[in-house]
Amino acid sequence: MPELVFFSGTMDCGKSTLALQIEHNRSARGLVGMIFTRDDRAGEGKLSSRLGLVRDAVEVGDDQDLYAYIVDHLSQGGRADYVIADEAQFLAPEQIDQLARVVDDLGVDAYAFGITTDFRSKLFPGSQRLVELADRVEVLQVEALCWCGARATHNARTVGGEMVVEGAQVVVGDVDQPDAIGYEVLCRRHHSRRMTAATARAAALSPDVLPVSSAGV
């Protein structure tokens, strides 16, 4: 039976890499897929992974009807044996409903990839709807690590290396951007303490932190 599957995880856990792998495996067997994305780091109309792999995709607009788009594609003689939607957290709940309709009415598998929560640990509306509707939710097993070495469970937005907890839910950025808006994965403890890798280094180098000596012991 066709399924709507949500592959979820933190940043850096290989979601887009898996999306590209699924696309490769199916296209190598003669299947034809339709790839959607939204606000990819590589630019408009691209599905990219941090490993450097890039694939052309359909950039989803705010009010785009994904079901109508696919039906129109099929009515013009195109094929769609499966659908991949990357950065699915940025899709509107209505667009997730449309993906579910693609599965139920057209009999086409739909694979959605995205992070579940934003930099404030709040659910993205698109991800929430996927959790509500998906036939399966797969948490990716490639563990991203916090700077401390613990398993990263939260996504943090940074400005100049410092974590921020206010602002628009969607601001396109990337990891490893110390002087601009960027993103970093943290364990729950350091996310709650707002301690990024940069602030941890600064604290360790601060002259206010006295070195421990054996004098007087």
Side-chain angles (χ1 to χ4, degrees):
M1 294 291 292
E3 289 185 307
L4 172 60
V5 185
F6 180 30
F7 294 93
S8 179
T10 62
M11 296 179 299
D12 294 341
C13 73
K15 297 181 301 302
S16 297
T17 301
L18 178 59
L20 288 162
Q21 185 67 53
I22 288 177
E23 195 281 329
H24 171 76
N25 289 349
R26 280 154 179 73
S27 62
R29 287 158 180 76
L31 300 176
V32 178
M34 183 164 288
I35 303 174
F36 295 101
T37 191
R38 178 82 187 259
D39 295 333
D40 188 273
R41 70 184 71 84
E44 184 173 333
K46 298 294 181 183
L47 165 57
S48 69
S49 78
R50 300 191 193 281
L51 299 181
L53 303 173
V54 182
R55 178 76 161 77
D56 289 334
V58 176
E59 184 76 15
V60 178
D62 289 339
D63 301 318
Q64 185 170 354
D65 187 323
L66 302 184
Y67 178 81
Y69 186 95
I70 295 172
V71 168
D72 183 63
H73 174 75
L74 295 174
S75 67
Q76 295 184 41
R79 283 180 59 186
D81 300 312
Y82 59 93
V83 172
I84 289 174
D86 196 33
E87 306 295 353
Q89 72 272 8
F90 297 143
L91 299 180
E94 295 79 9
Q95 291 170 325
I96 303 303
D97 290 344
Q98 292 155 14
L99 285 178
R101 190 179 175 193
V102 167
V103 175
D104 296 338
D105 293 359
L106 303 180
V108 175
D109 284 312
Y111 306 101
F113 300 80
I115 59 179
T116 307
T117 57
D118 64 15
F119 68 104
R120 300 164 300 185
S121 299
K122 303 295 184 182
L123 285 167
F124 281 101
S127 298
Q128 177 178 335
R129 193 61 178 146
L130 276 164
V131 171
E132 293 167 349
L133 288 185
D135 297 292
R136 286 189 290 127
V137 177
E138 301 282 352
V139 179
L140 298 188
Q141 298 303 310
V142 177
E143 292 186 351
L145 299 179
C146 177
W147 60 265
C148 69
R151 184 170 73 89
T153 55
H154 289 63
N155 305 297
R157 179 182 294 170
T158 61
V159 177
E162 295 189 2
M163 180 176 159
V164 295
V165 294
E166 296 181 352
Q169 186 176 51
V170 179
V171 175
V172 178
D174 205 346
V175 297
D176 303 323
Q177 295 190 33
D179 298 322
I181 294 177
Y183 291 90
E184 182 176 344
V185 289
L186 300 173
C187 63
R188 184 178 62 241
R189 179 177 62 165
H190 288 126
H191 188 275
S192 66
R193 296 179 180 179
R194 303 186 187 180
M195 184 172 287
T196 66
T199 55
R201 285 193 299 269
L205 296 174
S206 172
D208 295 330
V209 179
L210 299 177
V212 177
S213 70
S214 58
V217 176

